[in-house]
Amino acid sequence: MHLLYVPTLCCNLSCRYCYLGSQTDPTTLKLDAGRAVATLQQALQRLLDTGVLPFNVSLHGGEVTTLPVKVLDQLFSTINRHYLDHFDQLNALGYRKSAPHLKTNLFNFHKLYDLFDQHRVSISASIDLPLSLHAKYRTDHRGRSWLNRTIENLRLLARYPHNKKISATLYHEHLQDIPALIDAIWTIHRELGFDMNNFNIMFGFGSELNCRKFSGQPELGLQQASEAEQLALYHALQDAFSGTELEEGLRRNWFDEFKPSYCTNAFNCGERFYLLQSDGTVWSCVRGQGVEQLQYGNIFTDRVQDILAEGSRRVRLLHQQQGLDPDCRACEYLQICHTGCPAVKLQNRSGKSYTCALQKAIYRDNPASYPPLGPLEQAAAAREYLLGMHPALLQDALTQEQPKNPAVLIPVELYEEWNSLQALIAADPLLLQLYSPDAIVLELNGELLPLQSQILAPQRSLYSVGADDRLVLHVRRSLFEANCTELIRNTLYIQLLRDTTVVYGDEQRSKQEHLITHQIFHNLLQPDLLLGDGWLTADLAGLLQLTSRYFIKNVLNNLFVTTGQLREYHYQKQKNNAFYHIQAINLPFQNFEFYWDSETEYVIKRS
């Protein structure tokens, strides 16, 4: 989990474009200060008790630095302690966070420098560019500019010895003088001494909360930059900084928000990113604070499991409400972008990312990092996206593909209750074994995943697995006794298929392509030290590594597991019972679907 913690919504500025609208009321500061530390500590403990390990705990506002020094010190210590207490687990998962991180407007940076230095706090400073617009739009509550203090604190930040970066949120107004914006970058880099390789750009969008704040004074709000303006800036920055000491920053950091690593490109950000306020309320993120549709619950009154589920549900609902833009459905980068940020889509009433053209330009300029999909791969990616995010649209598409006057005749007996697949299984002890949902368990990096028949599973789970992942099958001993008189002749039967279709057989059906069939005889399976005497194990990591040369990037693989004798019984049952055959025409065995990718966190989505 990536956890943003907002210890206070109070802010010492009154920026013209703040997403939070009127929520940054300074009168809440005393209340927030009194509960900020306890809320974070209790929330972390509740998450850990539920088995959820936050790998990143960052502080956001409001403005965090409005809190008293004592409270800040305790917050930093709490976060440091969290990282140290779970150092081994976080390190094993590839996370290297070891110090607090906060977002700040720099207003109080000079006052808190020593405290930040003591705790090695990572700083993300937010400014406006060009700097003349910082003076215009980032004013205090009396409407006064504090640009001189900003410049001095930027000089101080340049000397700060720990991790630091600068970010700028840009609107239409910021892009009216791009040469001045470029000059400001050079000024900060060369005259103020801050390495502007550590800089990133964000684009603002319309905020309903901000509109309410300036009700009756629309001229005080800022306008979202058009896609053409975003592209013009991108190309101007390329022209200005390519071949200079800032080219690496331009290519690596400046446009990070529009790349797959950022939350805005997550398949479902509600499954991984959360924002917690000091009153216990959980929201999607900074963009979702105060937006009813993006409130997930309260850490003090709701179960953690319910909050996580609500996050996933609400984000999925927002995507569904805005629909799927035809351009996205046919896009060769759909698997990278996933159609954009749901919070912005809600504000803009659009089903498409508001930075689509810019993102495509970045992808095309970096084809090795972001390869476009070919027609067949794109169609598969679109199906997967529809399945996980827009199942109703997928069903509509499948319905439209059905012939209007089907010539297939289905006997009415098929619809009798006793001929349903579930009834046939319940009446047959061997089928009960074959379809058992708790007889085969896959251990993936320590997580136990009971495998189910793909034709009975209530939901579909897709994973990404790589060479460094640990995969072990755990199989009940009793499964090998089913339909078997001599255990030594029975096998663990593994089939591996790939989602590249082939056509064969008398039916000429399109089916997943078979890659390998692998059998391990019963007497060669290992005792199960984890689940006990009633289980046997087989390590799959080596088998998948050996087979990896057959895997194709972004193409799904399907692993089926059963026993040799139960597989024989399945095909015998198909011969003996037509009602069973037609409902189990596809492989019914317990399965595990995965992409092969050694660089991706292993669970990518559940739908």
Side-chain angles (χ1 to χ4, degrees), residues 163-362:
N163 286 340
K164 61 209 173 188
K165 69 175 182 177
I166 289 174
S167 66
T169 300
L170 306 178
Y171 285 80
H172 163 79
E173 289 79 359
H174 296 92
L175 303 183
Q176 298 313 295
D177 190 350
I178 292 178
L181 192 153
I182 292 171
D183 288 344
I185 293 174
W186 280 125
T187 296
I188 295 171
H189 182 71
R190 290 175 172 168
E191 297 181 22
L192 303 186
F194 184 90
D195 183 358
M196 285 297 279
N197 282 295
N198 301 312
F199 170 59
N200 70 281
I201 290 169
M202 298 175 284
F203 288 104
F205 55 89
S207 164
E208 185 176 340
L209 293 175
N210 202 40
C211 288
R212 291 180 198 165
K213 179 178 179 179
F214 293 122
S215 178
Q217 306 174 77
E219 70 280 359
L220 294 183
L222 302 188
Q223 302 301 310
Q224 178 176 306
S226 69
E227 291 195 66
E229 289 173 325
Q230 296 168 12
L231 273 177
L233 174 68
Y234 176 66
H235 293 309
L237 294 181
Q238 285 182 312
D239 292 341
F241 295 101
S242 294
T244 74
E245 68 262 37
L246 293 181
E247 181 176 1
E248 181 178 357
L250 166 70
R251 300 182 66 177
R252 188 180 302 280
N253 299 322
W254 291 9
F255 291 93
D256 254 3
E257 180 174 339
F258 316 104
K259 299 174 184 177
S261 60
Y262 211 80
C263 62
T264 49
N265 297 294
F267 177 83
N268 185 329
C269 59
E271 295 177 345
R272 187 175 181 184
F273 299 91
Y274 304 88
L275 181 146
L276 170 70
Q277 291 181 179
S278 64
D279 63 356
T281 308
V282 180
W283 305 85
S284 62
C285 59
V286 178
R287 294 175 171 184
Q289 279 178 280
V291 179
E292 181 182 356
Q293 297 94 322
L294 287 165
Q295 181 180 346
Y296 299 163
N298 190 291
I299 198 72
F300 295 127
T301 59
D302 299 312
R303 297 192 316 154
V304 169
Q305 299 95 319
D306 294 337
I307 292 172
L308 303 184
E310 187 67 4
S312 176
R313 187 190 72 81
R314 292 207 172 204
V315 166
R316 186 179 295 110
L317 181 61
L318 286 180
H319 282 294
Q320 291 170 357
Q321 287 174 340
Q322 302 308 323
L324 181 60
D325 190 283
D327 290 344
C328 297
R329 191 167 188 161
C331 181
E332 66 272 31
Y333 299 109
L334 175 61
Q335 83 289 358
I336 298 175
C337 165
H338 296 122
T339 76
C341 171
V344 182
K345 290 166 78 172
L346 171 66
Q347 299 287 354
N348 286 347
R349 303 295 189 267
S350 170
K352 189 176 182 180
S353 172
Y354 74 124
T355 57
C356 174
L358 171 65
Q359 289 172 252
K360 285 185 175 180
I362 294 170

Side-chain angles (χ1 to χ4, degrees), residues 129-194:
L129 294 178
L131 290 173
S132 60
L133 296 188
H134 189 92
K136 182 177 181 180
Y137 297 137
R138 280 188 179 247
T139 58
D140 65 16
H141 287 289
R142 296 183 183 179
R144 298 175 301 184
S145 168
W146 55 286
L147 180 59
N148 290 337
R149 182 192 289 194
T150 302
I151 291 173
E152 290 309 309
N153 278 341
L154 284 172
R155 292 185 195 276
L156 190 59
L157 183 64
R159 300 195 297 271
Y160 184 67
H162 308 294
N163 286 340
K164 61 209 173 188
K165 69 175 182 177
I166 289 174
S167 66
T169 300
L170 306 178
Y171 285 80
H172 163 79
E173 289 79 359
H174 296 92
L175 303 183
Q176 298 313 295
D177 190 350
I178 292 178
L181 192 153
I182 292 171
D183 288 344
I185 293 174
W186 280 125
T187 296
I188 295 171
H189 182 71
R190 290 175 172 168
E191 297 181 22
L192 303 186
F194 184 90

Side-chain angles (χ1 to χ4, degrees), residues 398-439:
L398 293 174
T399 301
Q400 292 171 10
E401 292 172 3
Q402 299 298 319
K404 290 184 169 52
N405 297 301
V408 177
L409 301 178
I410 300 176
V412 294
E413 296 98 322
L414 182 62
Y415 300 103
E416 299 289 357
E417 183 178 348
W418 53 84
N419 285 327
S420 70
L421 180 59
Q422 290 83 352
L424 294 172
I425 293 171
D428 188 324
L430 290 179
L431 289 184
L432 283 171
Q433 293 268 50
L434 191 154
Y435 286 91
S436 173
D438 58 6

Side-chain angles (χ1 to χ4, degrees), residues 21-33:
S22 299
Q23 296 181 91
T24 57
D25 185 354
T27 61
T28 65
L29 182 60
K30 184 176 181 180
L31 174 63
D32 292 334

